[in-house]
Amino acid sequence: MVEQRSPEVREQQLDAVFGALADPTRRAIVRRLASGDATVGELAEPFAISFQAVSKHLRVLELAGLVERSRRAQQRPCKLRIEPLVAAGGWLGDYRELWESSFDRLDVHLTKKKGSSHA
Amino acid sequence: MVEQRSPEVREQQLDAVFGALADPTRRAIVRRLASGDATVGELAEPFAISFQAVSKHLRVLELAGLVERSRRAQQRPCKLRIEPLVAAGGWLGDYRELWESSFDRLDVHLTKKKGSSHA
DNA sequence: TTATTATTCAACCTAATGGTTGAGCAACGA
DNA sequence: TCGTTGCTCAACCATTAGGTTGAATAATAA
């Protein structure tokens, strides 16, 4: 069933999720994980920063609920969790009405709606 | 016409927008401005923190493009700009497919789509 | 057992963040 | 002109964040 969250906890989740997404390295990690699970080493490989720094970023993502880590031998494969993304999108969605009823930069919105195979 | 942005600039905008939204005070300000323009004083009033702290938060929001400040007498009325919210929503939207094809916590998403009378 | 691999932990540095207070400034009302 | 209002700027402080390096741990391979 659906987990019930108090308003404060919801706020804290939004703090964590938006904060996690505020870093380009972490967004890149999320992007990468969207195409499939990966180990810390695989995730760190494309970045110029140290291995340990990526590990730290993963902890931030994990605290935000965006990443789930399991174990397989010495590796710790990471999996993307989308629920926090839904929560963040939901918060933004509260303002969809506002921007749909407004003409402020509506062109940008429409232009970005490419294929969009689903609502 | 739609303003063209380079990928780095788009990344920086996402840094700024997600970063701006990572703070509960700033989200509250955005929420407040969604219901209409307000002066700095009006915005600061409900918060326990100092006037100047709210002014700082407004600068962060302004740098993220979320707030536009004009002048009217001694007041500096603030207006919400939605384009950065659209940009952030667009980034999250890239993962919509992923979560629509998945059953991970989909219930949460559906449950939150209640009446939606207003923001 | 020992070595190797994959990863985390710990300590440290620097810069940014969120808050404070006090001073400054611009616009209005008297 | 003078005082008040509305706000920003500047300096400061404590905490957090993103990075580093080096040591520790855990699982596997030899």
Side-chain angles (χ1 to χ4, degrees):
Chain A
M1 292 303 110
V2 178
E3 187 183 343
Q4 282 301 348
R5 263 186 261 268
S6 67
E8 321 88 71
V9 172
R10 198 161 26 227
E11 282 297 302
Q12 284 168 232
Q13 187 195 25
L14 289 171
D15 287 1
V17 176
F18 282 129
L21 297 179
D23 184 278
T25 302
R26 287 193 293 260
R27 284 196 306 277
I29 290 173
V30 167
R31 227 178 279 126
R32 165 65 187 78
L33 287 175
S35 65
D37 299 3
T39 67
V40 180
E42 289 167 344
L43 290 170
E45 194 270 327
F47 298 107
I49 61 176
S50 76
F51 195 79
Q52 291 94 322
V54 172
S55 186
K56 276 193 179 183
H57 281 304
L58 283 168
R59 192 154 44 81
V60 173
L61 290 166
E62 193 176 27
L63 288 173
L66 280 161
V67 158
E68 216 173 40
R69 285 191 271 193
S70 52
R71 312 191 71 128
R72 188 179 53 221
Q74 315 100 295
Q75 299 164 34
R76 236 125 312 184
C78 299
K79 179 175 167 24
L80 183 63
R81 285 189 65 246
I82 52 149
E83 188 269 329
L85 293 176
V86 175
W91 191 88
L92 290 172
D94 289 347
Y95 305 97
R96 190 153 20 206
E97 255 182 73
L98 184 73
W99 77 57
E100 276 170 356
S101 63
S102 151
F103 280 87
D104 178 55
R105 301 272 183 165
L106 186 56
D107 51 346
V108 172
H109 181 224
L110 294 175
T111 306
K112 289 219 174 143
K113 299 217 81 180
K114 36 196 175 184
S116 186
S117 56
H118 200 331
Chain B
M1 278 325 247
V2 178
E3 187 184 343
Q4 282 300 348
R5 264 186 261 268
S6 65
E8 321 89 69
V9 173
R10 202 164 19 234
E11 283 296 303
Q12 284 169 232
Q13 187 196 25
L14 289 171
D15 288 1
V17 176
F18 282 128
L21 297 179
D23 183 278
T25 302
R26 288 194 292 260
R27 283 196 307 276
I29 290 173
V30 168
R31 226 177 280 127
R32 167 65 186 78
L33 287 175
S35 64
D37 300 2
T39 67
V40 180
E42 289 168 344
L43 289 170
E45 195 270 328
F47 298 107
I49 62 176
S50 77
F51 194 79
Q52 292 94 321
V54 172
S55 186
K56 276 193 180 185
H57 281 304
L58 283 169
R59 192 156 44 81
V60 173
L61 290 167
E62 195 176 26
L63 288 173
L66 281 161
V67 158
E68 216 172 39
R69 284 191 272 192
S70 53
R71 312 192 70 125
R72 187 178 55 219
Q74 315 101 294
Q75 299 163 33
R76 235 125 312 185
C78 299
K79 180 178 168 23
L80 184 62
R81 285 188 66 244
I82 52 149
E83 189 269 328
L85 294 176
V86 175
W91 191 88
L92 290 173
D94 290 347
Y95 305 97
R96 190 156 20 203
E97 258 183 71
L98 185 73
W99 76 59
E100 276 173 355
S101 62
S102 150
F103 280 88
D104 178 54
R105 301 274 184 163
L106 185 57
D107 50 347
V108 172
H109 181 225
L110 295 175
T111 306
K112 287 213 176 151
K113 301 219 78 179
K114 43 194 171 189
S116 179
S117 52
H118 194 355

